[in-house]
Amino acid sequence: MTTMQDPVAAAERCTPEYRRNPHPVYARLRDTAPVCPMRPPHGNETYLITRYEDARAALSDPRLSKDMYGAMDAYRSIFGDSSVALDDNMLNSDAPKHTRLRKLVNSAFTPRRVEALRPQIHAIVEKLLDECPTRERFDLLPAFAFPLPITVICELLGVPPEERSHMHQLSTTVAQTGFSEESKRAQQKAEEGLHAYFSELIARKRSRPGEDLLSALTAVRDNDGGLTENELVSTAFLLMFAGHKTTAYLIGNAVYHFLANPAQLRAVQENPELVGPAVDELVRYDGSVESATFRYATEDVEFSGTRIPKGALVQIALSSANRDPLKFDSPDQFDVTRPGNAQSAHLGFGHGSHYCLGAPLARLEMQLALTGLFTRFPRMALADPSGEPKWMEVPFPAFRGLAELPVVLDPAVS
């Protein structure tokens, strides 16, 4: 048994150079320290798993708990006390609680139910594209990539249109919180605001229920006690947050890589049936979830000859696993014609009992977004084709997405 050290890994993952391109760091770690002990800025002993086989095994290993209440001291030191109320949901729980909470919302995200949303999502795509300027450069992220998934998930939950902007601002603050005292205060204020908002919205659903998922979950809470009041509030937050942030970042990443790789874009334009496989290839190649959410070891556990001690936090680097050459041929190439079994093997949506509940919805939104953009605007181009993309800065590598995406939809008329 060995413990492989890489003393620069934790600091390196906080640099602008890493945010621009984390893959050389991951390649080094896969070779030299595939289960790497680190001391990140939050100060808690953490082990980073980077190889595909280890990552896949760790994602479904019951010894790595998602119940962060069991690691409360470490949890509070990273996220603060205010996060506890909002994190009382399926993402941060183990069986049987996880099974109970997931079952309550699972039926809303089956492939059949999601497919029934196709006309509604298509209409949202077309409306957003109608409002985009065609003759001048603009940032595609606030104009299209973010409004699409937040509109879809808010309509699914029953969030009124006039309240979505405020909710989006609060959730953005939560997603980009750092470790300074000022940042933690901003996080706490945003989390308290989101908890208050969803508590009040649930109260409205009780008095005036609609044909939406939050009304249905509120009825479950009131009729058979299938979840507590705080679990209901926290589940609403989780569905909103996970249902739009990750998909929005993924749309931005996907559009950028298509425009930077015109041969891949032409392949999809010439063969629209490739758009489905292309979405999974994009999730593998540069997905929006760089690392899975924290787990902690409930007992000593070993991967690749390295012992992770009981009580340590564990991060699973999905972006690294999805570029592991032991699993994928030419993993650093973006290839929409990659064999289907390789595309579906990626870990971008996780694995095991915590596999992403919203994966069918994310895939459909991505397919309709890319098809709509590149069908209506086949000459779409990056506004600064020779410039470096500006990637979002986050306090630790959880999400990966662009900070901006300047484009021109029809350069021929600009």
Side-chain angles (χ1 to χ4, degrees):
M1 186 180 351
T2 60
T3 299
M4 302 182 200
Q5 300 282 348
D6 193 307
V8 300
E12 198 171 23
R13 293 176 83 218
C14 298
T15 63
E17 293 77 17
Y18 173 90
R19 297 313 307 156
R20 285 196 290 270
N21 184 10
H23 298 291
V25 175
Y26 284 137
R28 187 188 76 232
L29 291 176
R30 286 193 304 268
D31 287 341
T32 63
V35 182
C36 181
M38 300 190 307
R39 188 71 66 172
H42 53 71
N44 292 278
E45 181 182 23
T46 303
Y47 285 73
L48 180 69
I49 294 176
T50 54
R51 287 180 180 167
Y52 179 91
E53 291 300 334
D54 289 337
R56 192 174 190 274
L59 287 167
S60 58
D61 194 317
R63 297 170 297 176
L64 298 180
S65 174
K66 290 299 299 295
D67 181 8
M68 295 309 294
Y69 289 87
M72 188 56 75
D73 289 343
Y75 177 92
R76 281 200 167 109
S77 71
I78 299 172
F79 297 106
D81 291 336
S82 61
S83 298
V84 175
L86 279 181
D87 286 346
D88 189 13
N89 53 52
M90 72 185 85
L91 181 65
N92 299 293
S93 61
D94 302 323
K97 179 178 177 178
H98 171 264
T99 307
R100 170 175 59 85
L101 294 176
R102 187 177 176 110
K103 184 178 179 181
L104 291 173
V105 297
N106 188 58
S107 62
F109 295 94
T110 62
R112 182 181 62 82
R113 291 289 294 273
V114 167
E115 181 60 29
L117 298 173
R118 180 181 290 269
Q120 183 180 358
I121 298 174
H122 174 74
I124 295 169
V125 168
E126 292 302 307
K127 182 177 184 298
L128 290 171
L129 292 179
D130 286 343
E131 297 170 353
C132 289
T134 57
R135 300 190 177 192
E136 58 195 53
R137 61 179 286 159
F138 72 103
D139 189 347
L140 191 74
L141 298 184
F144 181 76
F146 274 93
L148 171 58
I150 199 170
T151 300
V152 172
I153 196 62
C154 283
E155 293 194 1
L156 194 62
L157 287 172
V159 177
E162 64 274 13
E163 298 171 8
R164 295 170 187 174
S165 176
H166 176 62
M167 190 180 61
H168 171 62
Q169 292 172 356
L170 292 176
S171 65
T172 298
T173 299
V174 171
Q176 298 183 358
T177 296
F179 298 105
S180 69
E181 289 304 315
E182 180 181 1
S183 182
K184 287 182 178 180
R185 284 193 295 271
Q187 175 197 25
Q188 180 176 350
K189 185 176 180 180
E191 288 172 340
E192 290 171 349
L194 284 167
H195 195 280
Y197 172 75
F198 280 113
S199 297
E200 193 274 333
L201 180 60
I202 288 166
R204 279 185 272 157
K205 298 296 181 184
R206 283 196 168 99
S207 60
R208 298 185 301 277
E211 298 296 322
D212 56 75
L213 180 56
L214 190 51
S215 292
L217 289 173
T218 303
V220 169
R221 156 69 183 149
D222 294 345
N223 294 335
D224 65 15
L227 69 170
T228 68
E229 188 70 12
N230 198 66
E231 287 172 346
L232 175 58
V233 172
S234 182
T235 296
F237 163 74
L238 173 64
L239 293 173
M240 180 279 300
F241 189 88
H244 85 275
K245 287 291 182 186
T246 54
T247 305
Y249 297 142
L250 185 56
I251 290 172
N253 295 1
V255 172
Y256 170 76
H257 287 300
F258 266 127
L259 297 181
N261 295 272
Q264 298 300 307
L265 176 56
R266 282 195 302 273
V268 172
Q269 289 174 320
E270 293 169 2
N271 184 1
E273 292 183 357
L274 283 176
V275 70
V279 167
D280 272 297
E281 170 65 355
L282 286 157
V283 174
R284 182 203 69 80
Y285 180 74
D286 205 5
S288 57
V289 181
E290 184 173 336
S291 296
T293 50
F294 284 110
R295 287 159 167 80
Y296 79 96
T298 59
E299 59 183 85
D300 289 358
V301 60
E302 184 177 325
F303 295 98
S304 285
T306 296
R307 180 181 68 88
I308 298 176
K310 178 180 178 179
L313 296 180
V314 176
Q315 268 199 302
I316 303 167
L318 305 179
S319 291
S320 176
N322 286 334
R323 296 274 190 114
D324 189 340
L326 296 178
K327 180 63 180 179
F328 301 98
D329 292 333
S330 303
D332 293 325
Q333 290 183 9
F334 170 40
D335 181 7
V336 298
T337 64
R338 187 177 296 275
N341 61 338
Q343 290 173 342
S344 61
H346 71 76
L347 300 177
F349 291 123
H351 175 67
S353 62
H354 281 274
Y355 181 83
C356 178
L357 183 73
L361 181 59
R363 284 188 172 102
L364 180 60
E365 289 182 58
M366 285 289 297
Q367 291 175 24
L368 293 176
L370 295 174
T371 299
L373 271 170
F374 295 128
T375 298
R376 189 186 292 200
F377 305 107
R379 293 186 294 270
M380 180 181 174
L382 295 170
D384 302 305
S386 60
E388 285 287 330
K390 184 178 179 181
W391 294 93
M392 178 180 64
E393 294 184 8
V394 291
F396 49 84
F399 298 121
R400 176 163 171 79
L402 292 162
E404 60 182 24
L405 182 55
V407 299
V408 179
L409 293 181
D410 194 347
V413 297
S414 61

mmCIF file of all heavy atoms in Angstrom, residues 21 128 231 261 309 367 370:
data_model
loop_
_atom_site.group_PDB
_atom_site.id
_atom_site.type_symbol
_atom_site.label_atom_id
_atom_site.label_comp_id
_atom_site.label_asym_id
_atom_site.label_seq_id
_atom_site.Cartn_x
_atom_site.Cartn_y
_atom_site.Cartn_z
ATOM 1 N N ASN A 21 -7.110 25.254 -18.588
ATOM 2 C CA ASN A 21 -6.935 23.890 -19.092
ATOM 3 C C ASN A 21 -6.458 22.985 -17.956
ATOM 4 O O ASN A 21 -5.264 22.892 -17.680
ATOM 5 C CB ASN A 21 -5.931 23.857 -20.247
ATOM 6 C CG ASN A 21 -5.800 22.464 -20.843
ATOM 7 O OD1 ASN A 21 -6.580 21.556 -20.533
ATOM 8 N ND2 ASN A 21 -4.822 22.284 -21.697
ATOM 9 N N LEU A 128 -36.140 32.244 -27.601
ATOM 10 C CA LEU A 128 -34.867 32.854 -27.212
ATOM 11 C C LEU A 128 -34.036 33.229 -28.430
ATOM 12 O O LEU A 128 -33.406 34.301 -28.465
ATOM 13 C CB LEU A 128 -34.080 31.892 -26.320
ATOM 14 C CG LEU A 128 -34.649 31.678 -24.913
ATOM 15 C CD1 LEU A 128 -33.910 30.547 -24.207
ATOM 16 C CD2 LEU A 128 -34.560 32.963 -24.079
ATOM 17 N N GLU A 231 -37.022 19.013 4.052
ATOM 18 C CA GLU A 231 -36.670 18.206 2.886
ATOM 19 C C GLU A 231 -37.383 18.716 1.643
ATOM 20 O O GLU A 231 -36.810 18.718 0.541
ATOM 21 C CB GLU A 231 -37.018 16.740 3.134
ATOM 22 C CG GLU A 231 -36.093 16.036 4.100
ATOM 23 C CD GLU A 231 -36.571 14.645 4.475
ATOM 24 O OE1 GLU A 231 -37.756 14.326 4.199
ATOM 25 O OE2 GLU A 231 -35.774 13.877 5.039
ATOM 26 N N ASN A 261 -14.060 23.837 -33.471
ATOM 27 C CA ASN A 261 -13.759 22.615 -34.233
ATOM 28 C C ASN A 261 -14.753 22.489 -35.379
ATOM 29 O O ASN A 261 -15.688 21.667 -35.336
ATOM 30 C CB ASN A 261 -13.840 21.386 -33.323
ATOM 31 C CG ASN A 261 -12.785 21.390 -32.245
ATOM 32 O OD1 ASN A 261 -11.675 20.907 -32.445
ATOM 33 N ND2 ASN A 261 -13.134 21.920 -31.076
ATOM 34 N N PRO A 309 -8.033 7.215 4.678
ATOM 35 C CA PRO A 309 -8.400 6.917 6.071
ATOM 36 C C PRO A 309 -9.836 7.319 6.393
ATOM 37 O O PRO A 309 -10.402 8.228 5.780
ATOM 38 C CB PRO A 309 -7.402 7.752 6.875
ATOM 39 C CG PRO A 309 -7.048 8.891 5.979
ATOM 40 C CD PRO A 309 -7.083 8.337 4.582
ATOM 41 N N GLN A 367 -29.713 18.781 -27.018
ATOM 42 C CA GLN A 367 -29.983 18.445 -28.416
ATOM 43 C C GLN A 367 -30.798 19.535 -29.098
ATOM 44 O O GLN A 367 -30.479 19.954 -30.220
ATOM 45 C CB GLN A 367 -30.730 17.115 -28.488
ATOM 46 C CG GLN A 367 -29.897 15.909 -28.097
ATOM 47 C CD GLN A 367 -30.707 14.625 -28.057
ATOM 48 O OE1 GLN A 367 -31.741 14.517 -28.715
ATOM 49 N NE2 GLN A 367 -30.261 13.661 -27.266
ATOM 50 N N LEU A 370 -28.632 22.904 -29.468
ATOM 51 C CA LEU A 370 -27.617 22.859 -30.523
ATOM 52 C C LEU A 370 -28.261 22.782 -31.897
ATOM 53 O O LEU A 370 -27.824 23.460 -32.841
ATOM 54 C CB LEU A 370 -26.699 21.658 -30.298
ATOM 55 C CG LEU A 370 -25.852 21.714 -29.021
ATOM 56 C CD1 LEU A 370 -25.091 20.410 -28.829
ATOM 57 C CD2 LEU A 370 -24.891 22.887 -29.042
#
